Amino acid sequence: MTATATRSLTVTEAIQTRRSIRKFVQEPMNQDDLREILRLASLAPTANNVQPTRFAVIQNPELQEKLQAAAYNQSQVTSAPAVIVVYSDMEDVLQNAEETVHPGMGEEQITARAAGLRKNFEGQDVAQRGQWGLTQANIAFGFVMLAARGLGYDTVPMLGFDPEKVRELLGLPAHVQFAGMLPVGKRAEEGFPHHRHSVERITTFY
Ligand SMILES: Cc1cc2nc3c(=O)[nH]c(=O)nc-3n(C[C@H](O)[C@H](O)[C@H](O)COP(=O)(O)O)c2cc1C
């Protein structure tokens, strides 16, 4: 399949036109576009480049039904042709810490830096470093929304779900932390115009 997007939106256009969409056109997701959205989101930065963000992509109506039930029956989960679950897995990072070091560094540096990374987190328990990993995955969560919009797709960010049930449905270990769930597809409704604080209300200029 070829990418459907004829022109990518500018970052400004993507930010300006993104809004939560809960009803989607009933057509399968273009798989090239889906992969491009994930590729762009994988370029999100992380501290020390540790990259704890992981994606689970669901395009299976039966599994979407179950996810919808775990999301307090919010209908956007089955309306969308695909659902991207964004989560962090710090235990995977630490077990495979060598992967996060640039291969050009050479074996000695890779070993030393991976050991340094493990040492940084050894004082934290699984829950603490899980929370830290989540702060990183949250950045990628935002990138997914804007990458999707940039390619002409829409999303709705969701945290209204039972994490235990979603972990179980996706076969994920107990330590992973969810940034959120993102139904994605082409909009079949307009959504609501932005209602936001003014810059003056939320900013202090020093
Ligand atoms: C982290 C997060 C979790 C959210 N969870 C839900 C949700 O479970 N269900 C839902 O319908 N909308 C959810 N929303 C969407 C918000 O209601 C929406 O982003 C907000 O009202 C602003 O509207 P806009 O996205 O159209 O600009 C969530 C948004 C964020 C950022």
Side-chain angles (χ1 to χ4, degrees), residues 18-20 22 74 76 156-160 192 194 196:
R18 188 216 58 80
R19 46 173 68 174
S20 289
R22 298 175 179 85
Q74 296 189 70
Q76 60 265 28
V156 50
M158 290 178 65
L159 268 180
F192 298 102
H194 292 135
R196 296 293 194 271

Side-chain angles (χ1 to χ4, degrees), residues 27 42 60 70 105 109 132 168 199:
E27 64 182 19
S42 76
N60 169 330
M105 293 255 178
Q109 272 293 313
W132 185 89
E168 192 184 322
V199 171

Side-chain angles (χ1 to χ4, degrees), residues 109-188:
Q109 272 293 313
I110 291 174
T111 306
R113 282 170 187 250
L117 178 62
R118 290 192 178 99
K119 198 167 171 42
N120 280 346
F121 287 97
E122 72 187 6
Q124 297 184 18
D125 63 26
V126 170
Q128 284 170 326
R129 57 196 187 220
Q131 275 307 110
W132 185 89
L134 180 58
T135 64
Q136 311 298 310
N138 283 329
I139 298 170
F141 192 60
F143 271 50
V144 181
M145 284 185 257
L146 293 185
R149 184 81 279 274
L151 293 178
Y153 290 89
D154 287 285
T155 56
V156 50
M158 290 178 65
L159 268 180
F161 58 85
D162 180 335
E164 290 305 326
K165 287 189 180 152
V166 173
R167 276 193 203 99
E168 192 184 322
L169 285 169
L170 301 180
L172 296 171
H175 61 255
V176 307
Q177 300 284 341
F178 294 109
M181 197 185 271
L182 276 169
V184 57
K186 298 274 184 182
R187 66 172 72 175

Side-chain angles (χ1 to χ4, degrees), residues 56-125:
V57 181
I58 300 97
Q59 301 179 88
N60 169 330
E62 276 173 33
L63 187 50
Q64 282 173 249
E65 291 276 356
K66 290 178 184 164
L67 282 175
Q68 182 165 306
Y72 312 112
N73 219 24
Q74 296 189 70
S75 60
Q76 60 265 28
V77 181
T78 54
S79 175
V83 178
I84 302 172
V85 175
V86 182
Y87 63 97
S88 77
D89 189 341
M90 275 303 289
E91 300 314 297
D92 184 10
V93 167
L94 294 176
Q95 273 157 29
N96 301 287
E98 289 76 8
E99 280 181 347
T100 65
V101 188
H102 195 284
M105 293 255 178
E107 212 164 305
E108 208 171 296
Q109 272 293 313
I110 291 174
T111 306
R113 282 170 187 250
L117 178 62
R118 290 192 178 99
K119 198 167 171 42
N120 280 346
F121 287 97
E122 72 187 6
Q124 297 184 18
D125 63 26

